[in-house]
Amino acid sequence: MRHVIALDVGGTGMKAALVGDDGALLHRARRATGRARGPEAVLAGILDFAAELHAHGVEQYGESAGAAGIAVPGIVDEHTGTAVYAANLGWRDVPLRALLADRLGVPVALGHDVRTGGLAEGRIGAGRGADRFLFVPLGTGIAGAIGIDGRVEAGAHGFAGEIGHIVVRPGGAPCPCGQRGCLERYASASAVSEAWAAACGDPDADAAHCARAVASGDPDAVRVWREAVDALADGLVTALTLLDPRTLIIGGGLAEAGEVLFQPLREAVRRRVTFQKLPAIVPAALGDTAGCLGAGLLARDLLDTPDPSEVTA
Ligand SMILES: [Zn+2]
């Protein structure tokens, strides 16, 4: 059976799957990234994991995978297939696409984790059918994927979509990126957890706990939540003024609050726009499988696109 290999590498865990022609996940596996062992060992672990999946596919379906797709965090150059920089994996300029292609003997596509997850949300998830979308996961940080006609824009240097580092509070909280007042310092799940822990006096209280306190009407929680929603709406309005998306897909840990987030967020965005068209603001649909499904789409795209060297004029 025709299938591809999909791998989603995170800071702590790796998810992998064999994906069938119809997009179905045929076989799924998870493994620790093991970053404490160092960058070389992480790389070796990824190549071994992919090779094991490859062997499993041959054994199970009687033929080799047609291609492989892999999504990694950090700065990714999709054109050269290089993992340029990943702080949490200790990588600099790793030619991951070539290394994986050598090991597996199949064509490989390399993608950025959030853009790859966005590709899946846009094509087969919450943005299905939308020709222009923006996917914004609110997790430890905030990133974005700009979807245009079935693909995700990477930018000239692989930096497109970094909405978490739009300054929404000039002169505000310092951000590890070097600026002050970045969106992700106010509206990421981590930022909300931090603000709520300080407000309620419980160092272990997190964003999910804050959302529950908001739902039960706790005034301190309502204040913390409103500050996050206001910052988020400021950042999103900047993005939609620039990009005019049809659908705005919000994912990540903070979006798990459901209508506790979406109802005030839609309202805050609506209050801010003047001439801009309001996009549909919807929750992500694929959860933490988005990266793996997106890696599968990148791999399947390789099968559908003829090799330029084989195209004759
Ligand atoms: Zn920043």
Side-chain angles (χ1 to χ4, degrees):
M1 190 201 312
R2 215 165 84 126
H3 64 279
V4 297
I5 297 165
L7 262 164
D8 177 20
V9 177
T12 53
M14 301 191 276
K15 301 181 199 85
L18 295 175
V19 184
D21 242 1
D22 57 355
L25 297 178
L26 302 170
H27 170 78
R28 294 164 72 167
R30 279 176 186 254
R31 190 168 291 180
T33 306
R35 62 182 172 183
R37 297 176 297 140
E40 294 294 329
V42 167
L43 186 58
I46 291 169
L47 298 178
D48 288 347
F49 195 20
E52 284 167 37
L53 276 155
H54 193 210
H56 180 87
V58 171
E59 193 179 308
Q60 202 73 20
Y61 310 115
E63 64 176 289
S64 169
I70 177 166
V72 299
I75 299 165
V76 175
D77 185 334
E78 276 110 344
H79 297 293
T80 63
T82 311
V84 178
Y85 178 68
N88 55 6
L89 300 178
W91 284 355
R92 265 187 199 283
D93 296 320
V94 177
L96 192 54
R97 185 174 67 197
L99 291 171
L100 200 54
D102 274 357
R103 179 70 179 265
L104 301 178
V106 301
V108 174
L110 174 70
H112 172 267
D113 56 355
V114 172
R115 288 197 290 269
T116 304
L119 181 72
E121 284 289 353
R123 277 205 213 160
I124 59 176
R128 195 176 190 146
D131 54 348
R132 298 285 187 282
F133 70 87
L134 178 64
F135 168 57
V136 182
L138 311 170
T140 312
I142 299 181
I146 301 164
I148 303 168
D149 281 338
R151 61 175 196 89
V152 173
E153 175 59 36
H157 311 95
F159 284 73
E162 291 291 354
I163 186 175
H165 301 286
I166 285 182
V167 174
V168 293
R169 299 289 178 264
C175 180
C177 80
Q179 303 183 115
R180 281 181 170 273
C182 288
L183 174 60
E184 75 171 35
R185 300 294 295 120
Y186 300 90
S188 60
S190 307
V192 172
S193 294
E194 214 175 284
W196 174 235
C200 75
D202 174 0
D204 295 327
D206 62 7
H209 184 253
C210 185
R212 287 195 295 275
V214 171
S216 65
D218 181 304
D220 287 331
V222 168
R223 176 182 52 78
V224 165
W225 199 255
R226 194 178 54 227
E227 282 168 10
V229 168
D230 281 342
L232 183 56
D234 287 337
L236 292 175
V237 168
T238 299
L240 69 90
T241 303
L242 202 57
L243 299 170
D244 186 24
R246 198 171 306 279
T247 308
L248 188 46
I249 306 164
I250 309 292
L254 208 61
E256 282 164 24
E259 284 306 300
V260 172
L261 175 68
F262 283 89
Q263 194 276 329
L265 180 61
R266 290 188 187 104
E267 185 51 40
V269 170
R270 191 180 302 123
R271 270 201 315 272
R272 283 164 172 77
V273 298
T274 56
F275 68 94
Q276 306 94 325
K277 293 289 182 197
L278 268 180
I281 302 178
V282 299
L286 303 175
D288 72 353
T289 60
C292 206
L293 288 165
L297 292 174
L298 290 177
R300 286 164 62 205
D301 284 354
L302 289 177
L303 301 180
D304 296 338
T305 313
D307 182 336
S309 64
E310 289 170 5
V311 175
T312 49

